[in-house]
C-alpha cells in the first residue's frame, strides 16, 4: 500500500473514531478496538506514543501533543481547530444516505471519469487495419457460390464476403431478433421478392443477397457505402437523407463492412 492510500484510509478512520462519541479523549483513535485500528497498530507498532508520532508523520503533521494533533487533523479536513467531535460526526454516515469522502478520493474519481471514454463505433482511422486481416477466412467454405454470385450480378466477390461476415459471421442458420435469416440475413418478405424458397440454403441466400446488392449499387451510382447503407437501413432512408442515414447502427455497419472489404 502506498503512503497516499494509507493516508486516505487513516483520514477516514480518524474521523470515524473521533466522531463515535462525545466522551472519548482526543487520542482515542489509537485505542480503538476496531479491526482497522488493530491493523494500523500492527503496521505501526505497539507503543501508543510511537503510533501517534508515526501516524502524524504519515498524515503530514507534527506530533508535539495530542491536542495539537487534533487541531492539525481538523485543519487537514478543512475544519477549524475548535470544531467539536459532534461536528466531525456530522461528516460521517449516521443513518443517512450521505457519507464523508476525502478530497483525495474525490479527485481520483473525477480524474478517472474524465479520462474514460467509451465508444462503440469503429473509428475512421482503422480502415485497412491489420485488425481485419484474415477476417474473411470463413468465406472459403462458400467460395464457389460467392464467385458464382459475383459473376452473375457483377458484384465484387470480396464485397459479398464482407457482407456475409458482418451479417452472420458465415453462419448459414443465423436468425436475427428482427427475423432476418441465413448468411446474408434476408428478411422473409425480401427473400420472397427475390424468389428465395429457403433462406437457409447457402446458394439461394447468397445469390439473392448479391442480386439485392447489385440493385442497390445500380440505384446509388455504384457507391458501395451507399449500397451498404441501403442494404442495412433501406433504400428509401438513403434517398431521404441523401447519404448514409444518421443511424448509429447503419453508420457502424457501413464502416465495418468497408473495413472487411478494403483490408
Amino acid at each position: 500500500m502506498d503512503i497516499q492510500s494509507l493516508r486516505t484510509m487513516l483520514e477516514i478512520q480518524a474521523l470515524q473514531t473521533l466522531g463515535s462519541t462525545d466522551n472519548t479523549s482526543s487520542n482515542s483513535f489509537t485505542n480503538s478496538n476496531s479491526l482497522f485500528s488493530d491493523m494500523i497498530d500492527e503496521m505501526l507498532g505497539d507503543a501508543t506514543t510511537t503510533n501517534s508520532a508515526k501516524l502524524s508523520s504519515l498524515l503530514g503533521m507534527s506530533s508535539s501533543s495530542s491536542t495539537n494533533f487534533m487541531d492539525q487533523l481538523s485543519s487537514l479536513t478543512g475544519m477549524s481547530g475548535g470544531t467539536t467531535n459532534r461536528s466531525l460526526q456530522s461528516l460521517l454516515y449516521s443513518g443517512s444516505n450521505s457519507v464523508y469522502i476525502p478530497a483525495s478520493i474525490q479527485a481520483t474519481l473525477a480524474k478517472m471519469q474524465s479520462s474514460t471514454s467509451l465508444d462503440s463505433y469503429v473509428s475512421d482511422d482503422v480502415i485497412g487495419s491489420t485488425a481485419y486481416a484474415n477476417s474473411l477466412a470463413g468465406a472459403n467454405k462458400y467460395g464457389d457460390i460467392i464467385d458464382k454470385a459475383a459473376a452473375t450480378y457483377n458484384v465484387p466477390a470480396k464485397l459479398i464476403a464482407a457482407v456475409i461476415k458482418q451479417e452472420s459471421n458465415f453462419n448459414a442458420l443465423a436468425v436475427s431478433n428482427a427475423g432476418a435469416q441465413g448468411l446474408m440475413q434476408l428478411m422473409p418478405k425480401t427473400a420472397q421478392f427475390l424468389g428465395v424458397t429457403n433462406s437457409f440454403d447457402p446458394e439461394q441466400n447468397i445469390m439473392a443477397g448479391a442480386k439485392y446488392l447489385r440493385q442497390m449499387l445500380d440505384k446509388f451510382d455504384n457507391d458501395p457505402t451507399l449500397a451498404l447503407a441501403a442494404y442495412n437501413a433501406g433504400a428509401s432512408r438513403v434517398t431521404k437523407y441523401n447519404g448514409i442515414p444518421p443511424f448509429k447502427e447503419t453508420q457502424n455497419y457501413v464502416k465495418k463492412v468497408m473495413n472487411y472489404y478494403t483490408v
Side-chain angles (χ1 to χ4, degrees), residues 42-249:
E42 182 180 352
M43 292 173 60
L44 299 181
D46 295 328
T48 300
T49 55
T50 301
N51 289 348
S52 297
K54 290 184 178 181
L55 184 57
S56 299
S57 176
L58 285 174
L59 292 175
M61 302 183 291
S62 65
S63 56
S64 57
S65 68
S66 60
T67 302
N68 188 40
F69 179 85
M70 278 289 292
D71 292 339
Q72 292 178 81
L73 178 60
S74 298
S75 176
L76 177 68
T77 57
M79 304 167 65
S80 64
T83 302
T84 64
N85 287 341
R86 190 179 301 277
S87 297
L88 285 172
Q89 186 177 18
S90 68
L91 294 174
L92 308 175
Y93 175 76
S94 300
S96 68
N97 291 326
S98 61
V99 63
Y100 170 70
I101 301 177
S104 57
I105 293 180
Q106 292 183 9
T108 299
L109 291 175
K111 184 178 180 181
M112 290 174 62
Q113 183 177 16
S114 64
S115 64
T116 301
S117 177
L118 299 178
D119 186 4
S120 62
Y121 297 99
V122 177
S123 176
D124 290 324
D125 61 8
V126 302
I127 292 181
S129 168
T130 55
Y132 287 82
N134 300 319
S135 58
L136 301 182
N140 294 336
K141 181 178 179 180
Y142 308 104
D144 291 342
I145 302 174
I146 291 174
D147 289 341
K148 177 182 176 181
T152 301
Y153 298 110
N154 191 27
V155 177
K158 194 173 183 180
L159 182 60
I160 297 173
V163 171
I164 297 174
K165 167 66 178 179
Q166 180 60 29
E167 291 287 357
S168 66
N169 196 28
F170 307 109
N171 178 6
L173 302 179
V175 179
S176 74
N177 292 332
Q181 301 173 336
L183 290 168
M184 298 190 75
Q185 291 290 277
L186 303 176
M187 292 298 290
K189 288 186 178 180
T190 302
Q192 184 178 10
F193 174 76
L194 293 171
V196 175
T197 58
N198 180 8
S199 291
F200 298 109
D201 175 68
E203 182 166 358
Q204 287 193 54
N205 192 289
I206 292 174
M207 293 299 290
K211 181 178 181 179
Y212 187 66
L213 268 178
R214 179 70 263 166
Q215 293 174 355
M216 296 303 100
L217 287 166
D218 289 342
K219 186 174 182 65
F220 297 107
D221 299 320
N222 283 310
D223 185 331
T225 61
L226 296 183
L228 290 171
Y231 194 97
N232 177 261
S236 61
R237 290 191 175 94
V238 175
T239 300
K240 175 182 178 180
Y241 291 102
N242 194 31
I244 300 174
F247 308 141
K248 295 177 181 179
E249 177 187 344

Side-chain angles (χ1 to χ4, degrees), residues 245-263:
F247 308 141
K248 295 177 181 179
E249 177 187 344
T250 300
Q251 293 174 353
N252 200 30
Y253 176 90
V254 172
K255 287 182 179 181
K256 284 186 174 182
V257 176
M258 289 302 295
N259 277 323
Y260 295 134
Y261 177 53
T262 58
V263 69

